[in-house]
Amino acid sequence: MNQTIITAIKEKKCLSFMYDDHPRVVEPHCYGLTRKDKEAIRCYQIRGTGKKTNENPWHLMTLEKIVSLQLLQETFSKPRVGYKKGDEHMTTIFCEL
């Protein structure tokens, strides 16, 4: 799973997966460890469902809840507005845009 996320960030490819029983398609921007020492991705959701998806498309999603991760051929060209390098919610960053 880790290498798939790193590849997606480096190649600006979208990811699809289930999270909290909801299908998601996201643009991953950052991958690292949260303050609670959990692996997570900072991502921008472009399709799918979920809690608060309509309110704010930015999510910090822990890998332990991600199911059926797939690297898509769909790409994005640049970071979304609102993305900040060096995510303040992560203590360690493995890969970021």
Side-chain angles (χ1 to χ4, degrees):
M1 186 180 300
N2 308 46
Q3 192 55 52
T4 300
I5 294 167
I6 290 169
T7 298
I9 292 171
K10 287 182 176 182
E11 297 180 8
K12 293 186 183 82
K13 288 188 175 181
C14 295
L15 295 169
S16 75
F17 50 84
M18 294 293 290
Y19 193 88
D20 286 339
D21 295 321
H22 291 276
R24 318 279 183 132
V25 175
V26 304
E27 296 173 355
H29 283 57
C30 185
Y31 167 47
L33 292 176
T34 68
R35 294 178 188 149
K36 294 183 178 180
D37 217 30
K38 295 185 183 258
E39 288 183 72
I41 58 172
R42 172 70 65 194
C43 55
Y44 188 92
Q45 185 170 332
I46 58 172
R47 288 192 300 281
T49 60
K51 300 174 187 173
K52 301 181 183 179
T53 299
N54 294 334
E55 295 173 29
N56 183 4
W58 283 107
H59 300 284
L60 182 64
M61 298 181 166
T62 58
L63 269 58
E64 65 187 12
K65 292 184 177 183
I66 291 176
V67 178
S68 301
L69 179 70
Q70 292 183 345
L71 179 65
L72 302 178
Q73 291 305 306
E74 181 178 352
T75 61
F76 55 102
S77 60
K78 60 185 179 182
R80 290 282 182 159
V81 172
Y83 173 64
K84 297 176 186 109
K85 277 188 109 135
D87 194 306
E88 65 184 21
H89 294 98
M90 294 189 186
T91 57
T92 302
I93 294 175
F94 303 131
C95 186
E96 67 182 332
L97 291 179

